Short mmCIF file of all heavy atoms in Angstrom, two decimals:
data_model
loop_
_atom_site.label_atom_id
_atom_site.label_comp_id
_atom_site.label_asym_id
_atom_site.label_seq_id
_atom_site.Cartn_x
_atom_site.Cartn_y
_atom_site.Cartn_z
N PHE A 302 28.17 3.68 -7.08
CA PHE A 302 27.42 2.70 -7.84
C PHE A 302 27.66 1.27 -7.33
O PHE A 302 26.73 0.50 -7.26
CB PHE A 302 27.65 2.81 -9.34
CG PHE A 302 26.85 3.91 -9.92
CD1 PHE A 302 27.43 5.12 -10.13
CD2 PHE A 302 25.52 3.75 -10.20
CE1 PHE A 302 26.72 6.17 -10.66
CE2 PHE A 302 24.75 4.80 -10.79
CZ PHE A 302 25.36 6.02 -10.95
N SER A 303 28.91 0.94 -6.95
CA SER A 303 29.18 -0.38 -6.40
C SER A 303 28.45 -0.57 -5.07
O SER A 303 27.90 -1.61 -4.72
CB SER A 303 30.72 -0.66 -6.22
OG SER A 303 31.31 -0.84 -7.46
N PHE A 304 28.50 0.54 -4.32
CA PHE A 304 27.75 0.54 -2.94
C PHE A 304 26.38 0.25 -3.15
O PHE A 304 25.75 -0.61 -2.49
CB PHE A 304 28.02 1.87 -2.31
CG PHE A 304 27.23 2.09 -1.01
CD1 PHE A 304 27.55 1.39 0.13
CD2 PHE A 304 26.18 2.83 -0.97
CE1 PHE A 304 26.85 1.54 1.29
CE2 PHE A 304 25.39 3.09 0.14
CZ PHE A 304 25.76 2.35 1.30
N THR A 305 25.64 1.02 -4.06
CA THR A 305 24.23 0.86 -4.29
C THR A 305 23.94 -0.55 -4.98
O THR A 305 22.90 -1.09 -4.64
CB THR A 305 23.61 1.99 -5.04
OG1 THR A 305 24.37 2.19 -6.19
CG2 THR A 305 23.61 3.26 -4.20
N LYS A 306 24.76 -0.99 -5.81
CA LYS A 306 24.53 -2.26 -6.42
C LYS A 306 24.58 -3.41 -5.44
O LYS A 306 23.73 -4.28 -5.44
CB LYS A 306 25.65 -2.53 -7.44
CG LYS A 306 25.37 -3.68 -8.47
CD LYS A 306 26.60 -3.92 -9.34
CE LYS A 306 26.62 -3.03 -10.58
NZ LYS A 306 27.56 -3.41 -11.62
N ASP A 307 25.45 -3.30 -4.36
CA ASP A 307 25.46 -4.26 -3.31
C ASP A 307 24.17 -4.13 -2.46
O ASP A 307 23.55 -5.20 -2.09
CB ASP A 307 26.70 -3.98 -2.44
CG ASP A 307 26.75 -5.01 -1.24
OD1 ASP A 307 26.75 -6.23 -1.52
OD2 ASP A 307 26.72 -4.55 -0.10
N LEU A 308 23.74 -2.95 -2.17
CA LEU A 308 22.45 -2.76 -1.44
C LEU A 308 21.27 -3.35 -2.14
O LEU A 308 20.43 -4.09 -1.57
CB LEU A 308 22.20 -1.28 -1.14
CG LEU A 308 23.13 -0.56 -0.28
CD1 LEU A 308 22.76 0.92 -0.29
CD2 LEU A 308 23.12 -1.13 1.14
N LYS A 309 21.27 -3.29 -3.44
CA LYS A 309 20.20 -3.81 -4.27
C LYS A 309 20.24 -5.36 -4.29
O LYS A 309 19.23 -6.04 -4.13
CB LYS A 309 20.30 -3.37 -5.72
CG LYS A 309 19.05 -3.48 -6.52
CD LYS A 309 19.18 -2.76 -7.88
CE LYS A 309 17.99 -3.08 -8.70
NZ LYS A 309 18.00 -2.54 -9.99
N LYS A 310 21.44 -5.87 -4.37
CA LYS A 310 21.69 -7.32 -4.34
C LYS A 310 21.23 -7.97 -2.98
O LYS A 310 20.61 -8.97 -2.97
CB LYS A 310 23.13 -7.58 -4.55
CG LYS A 310 23.56 -9.10 -4.69
CD LYS A 310 24.99 -9.16 -5.03
CE LYS A 310 25.60 -10.46 -4.54
NZ LYS A 310 27.09 -10.50 -4.74
N ARG A 311 21.37 -7.14 -1.92
CA ARG A 311 20.98 -7.62 -0.56
C ARG A 311 19.43 -7.33 -0.27
O ARG A 311 19.00 -7.58 0.79
CB ARG A 311 21.88 -6.90 0.50
CG ARG A 311 23.26 -7.36 0.40
CD ARG A 311 24.25 -6.59 1.31
NE ARG A 311 23.73 -6.04 2.44
CZ ARG A 311 24.18 -4.89 3.07
NH1 ARG A 311 25.09 -4.22 2.49
NH2 ARG A 311 23.71 -4.52 4.23
N GLY A 312 18.73 -6.71 -1.29
CA GLY A 312 17.33 -6.50 -1.08
C GLY A 312 17.03 -5.20 -0.31
O GLY A 312 15.88 -5.11 0.06
N LEU A 313 17.91 -4.36 -0.05
CA LEU A 313 17.73 -3.12 0.67
C LEU A 313 17.24 -2.02 -0.17
O LEU A 313 16.75 -1.04 0.30
CB LEU A 313 18.99 -2.73 1.41
CG LEU A 313 19.48 -3.74 2.50
CD1 LEU A 313 20.83 -3.34 3.02
CD2 LEU A 313 18.47 -3.89 3.61
N ILE A 314 17.47 -2.14 -1.49
CA ILE A 314 16.92 -1.24 -2.46
C ILE A 314 16.23 -2.06 -3.54
O ILE A 314 16.86 -3.13 -4.03
CB ILE A 314 18.04 -0.41 -3.16
CG1 ILE A 314 18.78 0.51 -2.20
CG2 ILE A 314 17.54 0.41 -4.37
CD1 ILE A 314 20.02 1.13 -2.78
N ARG A 315 15.05 -1.70 -3.92
CA ARG A 315 14.35 -2.39 -5.00
C ARG A 315 14.65 -1.77 -6.35
O ARG A 315 14.87 -2.49 -7.31
CB ARG A 315 12.79 -2.37 -4.70
CG ARG A 315 12.46 -3.03 -3.41
CD ARG A 315 12.28 -4.51 -3.56
NE ARG A 315 12.17 -5.34 -2.35
CZ ARG A 315 11.15 -5.58 -1.67
NH1 ARG A 315 9.95 -5.11 -2.07
NH2 ARG A 315 11.20 -6.24 -0.59
N LYS A 316 14.57 -0.45 -6.40
CA LYS A 316 14.87 0.26 -7.68
C LYS A 316 15.78 1.44 -7.33
O LYS A 316 15.60 2.20 -6.48
CB LYS A 316 13.54 0.79 -8.26
CG LYS A 316 12.54 -0.27 -8.63
CD LYS A 316 11.69 0.09 -9.82
CE LYS A 316 10.68 -1.02 -10.13
NZ LYS A 316 11.24 -2.04 -10.96
N LEU A 317 16.89 1.43 -8.21
CA LEU A 317 17.93 2.43 -8.04
C LEU A 317 17.84 3.47 -9.19
O LEU A 317 17.66 3.11 -10.32
CB LEU A 317 19.30 1.81 -8.07
CG LEU A 317 20.44 2.76 -8.05
CD1 LEU A 317 20.55 3.53 -6.75
CD2 LEU A 317 21.79 2.02 -8.28
N GLY A 318 17.88 4.70 -8.80
CA GLY A 318 17.80 5.76 -9.87
C GLY A 318 18.76 6.90 -9.50
O GLY A 318 19.44 6.84 -8.46
N PHE A 319 18.69 7.91 -10.32
CA PHE A 319 19.48 9.13 -9.96
C PHE A 319 18.76 10.32 -10.60
O PHE A 319 17.98 10.22 -11.50
CB PHE A 319 20.95 9.08 -10.56
CG PHE A 319 21.02 9.18 -12.01
CD1 PHE A 319 21.32 10.39 -12.74
CD2 PHE A 319 20.95 8.02 -12.86
CE1 PHE A 319 21.44 10.44 -14.08
CE2 PHE A 319 21.06 8.10 -14.21
CZ PHE A 319 21.28 9.28 -14.85
N SER A 320 19.04 11.48 -9.91
CA SER A 320 18.47 12.73 -10.38
C SER A 320 19.64 13.52 -10.95
O SER A 320 20.75 13.40 -10.46
CB SER A 320 17.69 13.47 -9.33
OG SER A 320 18.62 13.89 -8.28
N SER A 321 19.36 14.44 -11.81
CA SER A 321 20.45 15.19 -12.42
C SER A 321 19.93 16.42 -13.12
O SER A 321 18.81 16.39 -13.69
CB SER A 321 21.29 14.38 -13.41
OG SER A 321 22.39 15.16 -13.88
N HIS A 322 20.66 17.52 -12.96
CA HIS A 322 20.40 18.70 -13.75
C HIS A 322 21.48 18.90 -14.84
O HIS A 322 21.64 20.01 -15.38
CB HIS A 322 20.33 19.96 -12.79
CG HIS A 322 19.20 19.93 -11.87
ND1 HIS A 322 17.98 20.37 -12.19
CD2 HIS A 322 19.02 19.57 -10.63
CE1 HIS A 322 17.09 20.32 -11.23
NE2 HIS A 322 17.81 19.78 -10.28
N ALA A 323 22.25 17.88 -15.07
CA ALA A 323 23.29 17.98 -16.05
C ALA A 323 22.82 17.91 -17.42
O ALA A 323 21.61 17.63 -17.60
CB ALA A 323 24.38 16.80 -15.77
N ASP A 324 23.66 17.93 -18.42
CA ASP A 324 23.29 17.95 -19.79
C ASP A 324 23.08 16.52 -20.27
O ASP A 324 23.35 15.55 -19.56
CB ASP A 324 24.24 18.74 -20.71
CG ASP A 324 25.65 18.13 -20.73
OD1 ASP A 324 25.84 16.93 -20.38
OD2 ASP A 324 26.56 18.83 -21.12
N ALA A 325 22.53 16.39 -21.45
CA ALA A 325 22.18 15.05 -22.04
C ALA A 325 23.34 14.16 -22.18
O ALA A 325 23.30 12.92 -21.96
CB ALA A 325 21.43 15.30 -23.32
N GLU A 326 24.52 14.75 -22.52
CA GLU A 326 25.71 14.00 -22.72
C GLU A 326 26.17 13.33 -21.44
O GLU A 326 26.58 12.12 -21.37
CB GLU A 326 26.82 14.81 -23.32
CG GLU A 326 28.15 14.09 -23.50
CD GLU A 326 29.25 15.10 -24.03
OE1 GLU A 326 29.06 16.22 -24.23
OE2 GLU A 326 30.33 14.46 -24.24
N TYR A 327 26.13 14.05 -20.35
CA TYR A 327 26.55 13.54 -19.03
C TYR A 327 25.52 12.37 -18.62
O TYR A 327 26.02 11.36 -18.22
CB TYR A 327 26.40 14.67 -18.02
CG TYR A 327 26.73 14.16 -16.58
CD1 TYR A 327 28.04 14.03 -16.14
CD2 TYR A 327 25.74 13.70 -15.73
CE1 TYR A 327 28.30 13.58 -14.92
CE2 TYR A 327 25.96 13.22 -14.45
CZ TYR A 327 27.29 13.12 -14.08
OH TYR A 327 27.53 12.68 -12.76
N ILE A 328 24.26 12.62 -18.86
CA ILE A 328 23.25 11.60 -18.52
C ILE A 328 23.49 10.33 -19.29
O ILE A 328 23.42 9.21 -18.75
CB ILE A 328 21.82 12.20 -18.64
CG1 ILE A 328 21.60 13.13 -17.43
CG2 ILE A 328 20.78 11.11 -18.54
CD1 ILE A 328 20.35 13.98 -17.63
N GLU A 329 23.74 10.50 -20.56
CA GLU A 329 23.97 9.31 -21.43
C GLU A 329 25.21 8.55 -20.93
O GLU A 329 25.22 7.34 -20.89
CB GLU A 329 24.13 9.69 -22.90
CG GLU A 329 24.28 8.43 -23.79
CD GLU A 329 23.77 8.68 -25.17
OE1 GLU A 329 23.78 9.82 -25.68
OE2 GLU A 329 23.48 7.70 -25.81
N ASN A 330 26.28 9.26 -20.59
CA ASN A 330 27.47 8.58 -20.05
C ASN A 330 27.19 7.77 -18.83
O ASN A 330 27.67 6.65 -18.71
CB ASN A 330 28.60 9.62 -19.88
CG ASN A 330 29.16 10.10 -21.10
OD1 ASN A 330 29.19 9.43 -22.10
ND2 ASN A 330 29.71 11.27 -20.97
N ILE A 331 26.36 8.25 -17.92
CA ILE A 331 25.99 7.50 -16.71
C ILE A 331 25.20 6.23 -17.13
O ILE A 331 25.50 5.14 -16.68
CB ILE A 331 25.16 8.30 -15.73
CG1 ILE A 331 26.03 9.33 -15.03
CG2 ILE A 331 24.53 7.40 -14.69
CD1 ILE A 331 25.34 10.20 -13.99
N LEU A 332 24.26 6.46 -18.01
CA LEU A 332 23.41 5.25 -18.39
C LEU A 332 24.20 4.16 -19.22
O LEU A 332 23.89 3.03 -19.05
CB LEU A 332 22.20 5.76 -19.18
CG LEU A 332 21.23 6.60 -18.43
CD1 LEU A 332 20.10 7.13 -19.31
CD2 LEU A 332 20.64 5.81 -17.22
N LYS A 333 25.19 4.62 -19.95
CA LYS A 333 26.04 3.69 -20.64
C LYS A 333 26.85 2.88 -19.63
O LYS A 333 27.08 1.73 -19.72
CB LYS A 333 27.06 4.37 -21.56
CG LYS A 333 26.51 4.80 -22.88
CD LYS A 333 27.54 5.46 -23.80
CE LYS A 333 27.01 6.06 -25.01
NZ LYS A 333 28.08 6.87 -25.69
N LYS A 334 27.49 3.61 -18.65
CA LYS A 334 28.36 2.94 -17.66
C LYS A 334 27.54 2.11 -16.64
O LYS A 334 28.11 1.23 -16.13
CB LYS A 334 29.18 4.03 -16.96
CG LYS A 334 30.28 4.69 -17.77
CD LYS A 334 30.94 5.70 -16.95
CE LYS A 334 31.80 6.68 -17.75
NZ LYS A 334 32.33 7.78 -16.98
N HIS A 335 26.31 2.46 -16.38
CA HIS A 335 25.59 1.88 -15.30
C HIS A 335 24.18 1.46 -15.77
O HIS A 335 23.18 2.05 -15.36
CB HIS A 335 25.49 2.89 -14.09
CG HIS A 335 26.78 3.30 -13.54
ND1 HIS A 335 27.60 2.39 -12.90
CD2 HIS A 335 27.58 4.38 -13.74
CE1 HIS A 335 28.70 2.96 -12.54
NE2 HIS A 335 28.69 4.18 -13.09
N PRO A 336 24.09 0.42 -16.53
CA PRO A 336 22.84 -0.12 -16.99
C PRO A 336 21.95 -0.60 -15.88
O PRO A 336 20.77 -0.79 -16.08
CB PRO A 336 23.20 -1.20 -17.99
CG PRO A 336 24.60 -1.63 -17.57
CD PRO A 336 25.24 -0.43 -17.03
N GLU A 337 22.50 -0.79 -14.70
CA GLU A 337 21.73 -1.27 -13.57
C GLU A 337 20.81 -0.22 -12.97
O GLU A 337 19.87 -0.50 -12.23
CB GLU A 337 22.64 -1.73 -12.41
CG GLU A 337 23.36 -0.65 -11.62
CD GLU A 337 24.72 -0.17 -12.32
OE1 GLU A 337 24.99 -0.54 -13.43
OE2 GLU A 337 25.51 0.42 -11.56
N VAL A 338 20.90 1.04 -13.51
CA VAL A 338 20.01 2.15 -13.08
C VAL A 338 18.57 1.82 -13.51
O VAL A 338 18.41 1.48 -14.77
CB VAL A 338 20.47 3.46 -13.60
CG1 VAL A 338 19.45 4.57 -13.44
CG2 VAL A 338 21.79 3.88 -12.92
N ASP A 339 17.61 1.83 -12.66
CA ASP A 339 16.23 1.50 -13.06
C ASP A 339 15.40 2.66 -13.44
O ASP A 339 14.41 2.49 -14.17
CB ASP A 339 15.57 0.87 -11.79
CG ASP A 339 16.26 -0.44 -11.32
OD1 ASP A 339 16.36 -1.29 -12.18
OD2 ASP A 339 16.64 -0.47 -10.19
N PHE A 340 15.72 3.84 -13.08
CA PHE A 340 14.92 5.02 -13.42
C PHE A 340 15.76 6.28 -13.26
O PHE A 340 16.90 6.25 -12.69
CB PHE A 340 13.65 5.17 -12.50
CG PHE A 340 14.02 5.50 -11.00
CD1 PHE A 340 13.95 6.75 -10.61
CD2 PHE A 340 14.32 4.44 -10.13
CE1 PHE A 340 14.32 7.13 -9.27
CE2 PHE A 340 14.65 4.86 -8.80
CZ PHE A 340 14.62 6.14 -8.41
N ILE A 341 15.25 7.43 -13.80
CA ILE A 341 15.97 8.65 -13.71
C ILE A 341 14.98 9.78 -13.36
O ILE A 341 13.76 9.74 -13.77
CB ILE A 341 16.69 8.97 -15.08
CG1 ILE A 341 17.50 10.32 -14.94
CG2 ILE A 341 15.72 8.99 -16.20
CD1 ILE A 341 18.42 10.40 -16.14
N GLN A 342 15.43 10.79 -12.64
CA GLN A 342 14.57 11.94 -12.32
C GLN A 342 15.12 13.06 -13.06
O GLN A 342 16.32 13.47 -12.88
CB GLN A 342 14.59 12.14 -10.80
CG GLN A 342 13.64 13.25 -10.38
CD GLN A 342 13.59 13.43 -8.84
OE1 GLN A 342 13.24 12.45 -8.23
NE2 GLN A 342 13.94 14.64 -8.41
N LEU A 343 14.26 13.80 -13.86
CA LEU A 343 14.74 14.87 -14.68
C LEU A 343 13.84 16.08 -14.54
O LEU A 343 12.63 15.96 -14.23
CB LEU A 343 14.67 14.41 -16.20
CG LEU A 343 15.58 13.32 -16.60
CD1 LEU A 343 15.25 12.90 -17.99
CD2 LEU A 343 17.06 13.74 -16.47
N GLN A 344 14.45 17.29 -14.72
CA GLN A 344 13.65 18.52 -14.74
C GLN A 344 13.01 18.60 -16.20
O GLN A 344 13.69 18.75 -17.12
CB GLN A 344 14.54 19.72 -14.50
CG GLN A 344 13.87 21.02 -14.56
CD GLN A 344 14.70 22.19 -14.13
OE1 GLN A 344 15.60 22.03 -13.40
NE2 GLN A 344 14.45 23.36 -14.70
N ILE A 345 11.62 18.49 -16.10
CA ILE A 345 10.89 18.55 -17.40
C ILE A 345 9.72 19.48 -17.27
O ILE A 345 8.90 19.28 -16.32
CB ILE A 345 10.50 17.18 -17.91
CG1 ILE A 345 11.75 16.27 -18.15
CG2 ILE A 345 9.73 17.35 -19.28
CD1 ILE A 345 11.28 14.87 -18.59
N ASN A 346 9.57 20.42 -18.11
CA ASN A 346 8.36 21.30 -18.20
C ASN A 346 8.44 21.96 -19.54
O ASN A 346 9.47 21.90 -20.26
CB ASN A 346 8.36 22.28 -17.06
CG ASN A 346 9.52 23.23 -17.01
OD1 ASN A 346 9.81 24.01 -17.92
ND2 ASN A 346 10.35 23.08 -15.98
N TYR A 347 7.34 22.44 -20.02
CA TYR A 347 7.29 23.02 -21.38
C TYR A 347 8.22 24.19 -21.55
O TYR A 347 8.67 24.44 -22.65
CB TYR A 347 5.86 23.31 -21.82
CG TYR A 347 5.15 24.44 -21.07
CD1 TYR A 347 5.33 25.74 -21.40
CD2 TYR A 347 4.18 24.12 -20.16
CE1 TYR A 347 4.66 26.80 -20.83
CE2 TYR A 347 3.46 25.23 -19.48
CZ TYR A 347 3.79 26.51 -19.87
OH TYR A 347 3.02 27.54 -19.21
N LEU A 348 8.48 25.02 -20.51
CA LEU A 348 9.36 26.12 -20.72
C LEU A 348 10.87 25.69 -20.88
O LEU A 348 11.53 26.31 -21.64
CB LEU A 348 9.23 27.05 -19.48
CG LEU A 348 9.85 28.45 -19.67
CD1 LEU A 348 9.25 29.30 -20.79
CD2 LEU A 348 9.72 29.24 -18.33
N ASP A 349 11.25 24.67 -20.30
CA ASP A 349 12.64 24.20 -20.29
C ASP A 349 12.82 23.21 -21.46
O ASP A 349 13.96 22.71 -21.63
CB ASP A 349 13.08 23.50 -19.00
CG ASP A 349 13.12 24.53 -17.81
OD1 ASP A 349 13.41 25.72 -18.10
OD2 ASP A 349 12.90 24.04 -16.76
#
Side-chain angles (χ1 to χ4, degrees):
F302 281 98
S303 288
F304 172 75
T305 52
K306 196 184 274 189
D307 179 60
L308 293 173
K309 196 171 175 185
K310 186 175 155 186
R311 293 171 33 212
L313 298 173
I314 295 173
R315 299 276 167 89
K316 298 211 181 275
L317 174 65
F319 70 96
S320 65
S321 183
H322 292 278
D324 63 21
E326 180 182 1
Y327 177 86
I328 289 168
E329 183 155 23
N330 286 334
I331 288 182
L332 294 175
K333 279 182 189 174
K334 290 178 192 173
H335 301 286
E337 72 272 17
V338 168
D339 298 302
F340 68 95
I341 183 169
Q342 183 174 305
L343 297 172
Q344 178 174 331
I345 302 176
N346 58 64
Y347 68 79
L348 192 61
D349 294 331

